[in-house]
Amino acid sequence: MILDRLVTGRREFTAGRVFYEGDIADGPLVDRIFAEHPDIGAAIHCAALIVVPDSVADPVGYYRANVAGSLEFAAHLLRNGCGRLIFSSSAAIYRAGADLSVDEDSPVDPQSPYARTKAVCEAMFADIAASQPIRVLSLRYFNPVGADPKMRTGLQLARPTHALGKMITAHEKGVPFVITGTDWPTRDGTGLRDYVHVWDLAAAHVAALLRFDGLPGPAAVINLGTGTGTTVRELLTAFSQVVGRPVQAREAPRRPGDVAGAYSRIDRAERLLGWRPQYDLAEGIRHSLHWAALRAQVLPGE
Ligand SMILES: NC(=O)c1ccc[n+]([C@@H]2O[C@H](COP(=O)([O-])OP(=O)(O)OC[C@H]3O[C@@H](n4cnc5c(N)ncnc54)[C@H](O)[C@@H]3O)[C@@H](O)[C@H]2O)c1
C-alpha cells in the first residue's frame, strides 16, 4: 500500500499498487487504510521534505512536515495496532571522524534543519518505542544513486543538484563539470561521499522487513552505505569511463554549507540484515544515465 501526498512524488510511480493520495498526518485517512487492509504488518516511513537550503529558509515548515507529521503518523500507527515501523533516516546526522568513516555509534551532530528533523524523529520514535507497543528501525541512508534497473522509477527531478546529477547535465550540454571545493581533508582535496545504489537500498528494506522481529531492542539503527568513500574526482573518473570519453572539469571554491563528507562502515547491516550492496558505482552511474534519458517518457507533462 502506498500513501503519498504527491508533494514531490509522482502518480506514475504508484502504477499497479494500491494507492492512497494524502498526508501521513491525516488520521481519518490512515484509519481508513488500516480498515480496508487489516493485514498490514509494517509501515515504511519515507515521507519527508528533503531540500537542505529550503529547510534553512523555512524551518517551521520543515519541522511541521517532518517532525510534527511523523509524530502524528506514529500515533495513527499505534491506534491501528501497527507494531513495526521502518524510518528513512540519513547519514547527514553524523559528525565524521578524522578518517571520514562513521558507524552507528559515531557522534550525531546534524548540520542543517533538515538533518536535525531526521535526528529528532529518530529520538522521538525511540522514546515512543520504549514504552508503547511498536518497534522502530531507523535506516540511515548514505548517498543514493542509480534508478530501478528495470527503469520503472528513478529521480523525478529533471535537473538533480547532487554531484552525479550535475555531471550528467554537464555531459549532456557539453560544458565543464564544476568541482566545488578542492581543499577538503580528503585524499585528493574534493568532497567524499558513499554512493549506494537505490536498488540496494530497496533490497535492504525487504531484508529489514523479513528480519524485523529478530532485531535488537525496541529501537534499532542501521547504516546503509557501501563501506567505501568516493571523492568527486574519483566519481568524475568513473563517470568518464562509463560514458567512454573524458568529461571536462573546472575547479571552484567551496559552497556555503558544504561538508567534507563521510562513508559508512557497514558491518551492522551485514550482521543484522544479511545485506551487502550488489551494485557497484559504475552500475549506479549507468542506471542514472539510462534513467535521465528515459525520464521524460516515463514522467510526461513537465
Ligand atoms: N535522497 C537522499 O539523498 C536521501 C538520503 C538520506 C535519507 N533520505 C530520506 O529518504 C526519504 C525519501 O527521500 P527521497 O530522496 O526519495 O525524496 P522524495 O521527495 O523523492 O520522496 C519523498 C516522498 O514523500 C512524499 N511526501 C512528503 N511529505 C509527505 C507527507 N507529509 N505525507 C505523505 N507523503 C509525503 C513525497 O510526495 C515523495 O513521494 C526521505 O525521508 C529522506 O529524508 C533521502
Side-chain angles (χ1 to χ4, degrees):
M1 257 59 69
I2 300 175
L3 167 62
D4 194 313
R5 193 159 68 93
L6 300 184
V7 46
T8 55
R10 294 284 302 243
R11 190 177 299 277
E12 290 87 341
F13 294 158
T14 68
R17 309 280 162 182
V18 179
F19 172 52
Y20 293 85
E21 182 174 347
D23 200 288
I24 55 165
D26 181 342
L29 176 58
V30 177
D31 291 348
R32 180 156 75 86
I33 296 172
F34 278 96
E36 291 175 1
H37 302 280
D39 55 335
I40 292 175
I44 299 180
H45 170 21
C46 32
L49 303 180
I50 68 158
V51 182
V52 171
D54 291 356
S55 77
V56 175
D58 179 21
V60 173
Y62 265 67
Y63 277 96
R64 184 178 290 135
N66 291 3
V67 176
S70 293
L71 177 62
E72 293 301 319
F73 187 55
H76 305 332
L77 295 181
L78 282 171
R79 190 173 59 250
N80 285 282
C82 182
R84 300 182 190 91
L85 171 63
I86 296 179
F87 174 60
S88 300
S89 187
S90 173
I93 69 174
Y94 285 119
R95 170 155 36 93
D99 72 348
L100 301 183
S101 78
V102 295
D103 66 17
E104 291 83 353
D105 298 320
S106 295
V108 167
D109 183 19
Q111 297 294 316
S112 69
Y114 160 71
R116 206 163 291 113
T117 67
K118 292 279 142 184
V120 170
C121 280
E122 277 198 16
M124 180 175 83
F125 289 141
D127 283 342
I128 293 169
S131 71
Q132 302 300 304
I134 191 168
R135 296 172 66 230
V136 60
L137 168 63
S138 294
L139 295 174
R140 295 174 177 165
Y141 312 162
F142 280 66
N143 304 92
V145 291
D148 169 18
K150 291 186 180 163
M151 295 297 135
R152 293 162 297 190
T153 62
L155 273 184
Q156 59 269 38
L157 293 173
R159 296 268 170 253
T161 55
H162 59 344
L164 179 56
K166 288 188 169 171
M167 240 169 246
I168 292 174
T169 303
H171 170 66
E172 285 170 352
K173 292 188 171 168
V175 298
F177 169 76
V178 183
I179 301 176
T180 46
T182 52
D183 56 352
W184 294 107
T186 61
R187 49 188 168 262
D188 61 19
T190 65
L192 177 138
R193 301 286 182 271
D194 186 340
Y195 297 105
V196 56
H197 196 294
V198 71
W199 194 253
D200 282 320
L201 286 186
H205 289 71
V206 177
L209 286 172
L210 294 174
R211 297 205 180 193
F212 195 94
D213 292 343
L215 295 172
V221 297
I222 299 179
N223 285 355
L224 297 179
T226 65
T228 311
T230 303
T231 67
V232 175
R233 284 193 214 282
E234 290 164 352
L235 182 67
L236 193 65
T237 302
F239 187 89
S240 297
Q241 279 165 359
V242 170
V243 298
R245 64 183 165 84
V247 175
Q248 298 308 315
R250 174 167 73 73
E251 295 182 3
R254 297 178 182 186
R255 298 166 306 180
D258 279 350
V259 290
Y263 70 96
S264 178
R265 299 191 286 275
I266 57 170
D267 318 42
R268 190 180 290 185
E270 278 196 70
R271 185 164 44 82
L272 294 181
L273 303 181
W275 172 87
R276 272 198 75 84
Q278 301 299 314
Y279 286 104
D280 66 13
L281 181 60
E283 283 164 315
I285 294 169
R286 208 171 289 122
H287 287 145
S288 289
L289 279 161
H290 192 181
W291 172 257
L294 284 178
R295 187 196 147 277
Q297 273 166 256
V298 184
L299 301 177
E302 273 186 10

